[in-house]
Amino acid sequence: MRHLVHMLLFATLLAVFFATMYRPRGARLRFGLAVWGALVGSALGLALLMYPFT
Amino acid sequence: MGRVRGTRGETAGTPGEHHLDPARGVLAGFLAWVFPGAGHFFLGARREAVVYLVLVLGSLGLGVGLGGNLAMVDPRLPVLSGMHVFSNLGLGPMEPLIRTALYGSPAYVRHGEAPPALGPPPVTRRWRRSFSTWSGYGNGYLTLAGLMNLLVILDAWDIGSGRKRHPREDGA
């Protein structure tokens, strides 16, 4: 469970960081959510793909 | 030189053009390296400065708290480990201080092999730390903190020199 928490926390830190750097300011929230979704989604997707081999 | 097409157009000269100020960019980048967020604070982007400060120091705190290790140059993998050390150096002057606190000295090169053939004291301390359960995650957070601050330095440099619009020019 703590692995998942750290993955979500790591993705959140990165998403907030890149959203803060994004221009224009008005699009930051949407961009940040997209980054967070891409990070978490790809990680979970890869985990599901690898699950049969565990 | 020193004059490029831009998007601001608020300075004297041809509309749509603005001056580059390399010296201001270098100063902002240097301040960002000295302390996370200081470059943006200097440029008047205080909201961004606070966010970067919290993110970098938060990631650093998580890394140290989880038993993470700052990288050392490994003679067997000099390029990869050197890049890892470079990412840590993005943390600025506090990096050697943290390194000294973790390892007992500002050790940047790994001597000796993995346990049980432990090297000099700094390496011994490093290997002991690396055995903690969550140190792998700590390493990730430490690397993230350094890489984030490297990007913050480049961002401050770009904004300060005029290559990138100031956040306030985008509106709230």
Side-chain angles (χ1 to χ4, degrees):
Chain A
M1 187 63 189
R2 278 183 70 182
H3 296 276
L4 182 66
V5 170
H6 280 297
M7 187 193 75
L8 295 176
L9 185 57
F10 196 94
T12 303
L13 286 171
L14 265 181
V16 172
F17 176 76
F18 283 116
T20 306
M21 212 161 259
Y22 194 71
R23 303 283 190 278
R25 268 182 173 174
R28 282 178 176 175
L29 179 62
R30 193 172 164 183
F31 182 74
L33 289 172
V35 170
W36 191 86
L39 287 168
V40 174
S42 58
L44 292 178
L46 277 171
L48 280 173
L49 281 174
M50 290 189 289
Y51 183 70
F53 304 102
T54 56
Chain B
M1 172 118 182
R3 197 167 187 66
V4 296
R5 180 167 295 283
T7 54
R8 295 194 297 184
E10 78 280 16
T11 55
T14 308
E17 292 186 347
H18 66 276
H19 286 288
L20 285 180
D21 192 348
R24 192 162 177 262
V26 170
L27 178 59
F30 175 74
L31 289 172
W33 177 75
V34 169
F35 198 74
H40 286 78
F41 192 85
F42 165 72
L43 295 170
R46 295 185 180 176
R47 190 190 304 180
E48 283 76 10
V50 171
V51 172
Y52 293 142
L53 176 69
V54 169
L55 287 175
V56 173
L57 292 188
S59 186
L60 178 64
L62 276 167
V64 173
L66 289 169
N69 295 294
L70 291 168
M72 289 186 182
V73 176
D74 187 338
R76 293 168 300 180
L77 293 165
V79 176
L80 280 177
S81 58
M83 289 166 66
H84 198 177
V85 169
F86 181 76
S87 75
N88 291 153
L89 289 172
L91 288 168
M94 73 172 96
E95 197 268 354
L97 299 177
I98 299 166
R99 192 174 286 271
T100 303
L102 292 180
Y103 303 150
S105 71
Y108 284 92
V109 179
R110 178 190 296 177
H111 300 289
E113 297 298 320
L118 291 171
V123 182
T124 307
R125 287 178 69 164
R126 179 178 192 274
W127 277 111
R128 282 183 184 155
R129 284 178 58 77
S130 69
F131 288 133
S132 68
T133 308
W134 297 96
S135 63
Y137 289 85
N139 294 347
Y141 285 116
L142 286 175
T143 306
L144 176 68
L147 289 175
M148 280 197 297
N149 205 44
L150 282 175
L151 285 177
V152 169
I153 291 167
L154 292 176
D155 194 57
W157 186 0
D158 277 345
I159 294 171
S161 62
R163 280 196 295 261
K164 185 177 180 181
R165 279 185 299 171
H166 193 285
R168 275 187 304 206
E169 292 170 21
D170 289 320

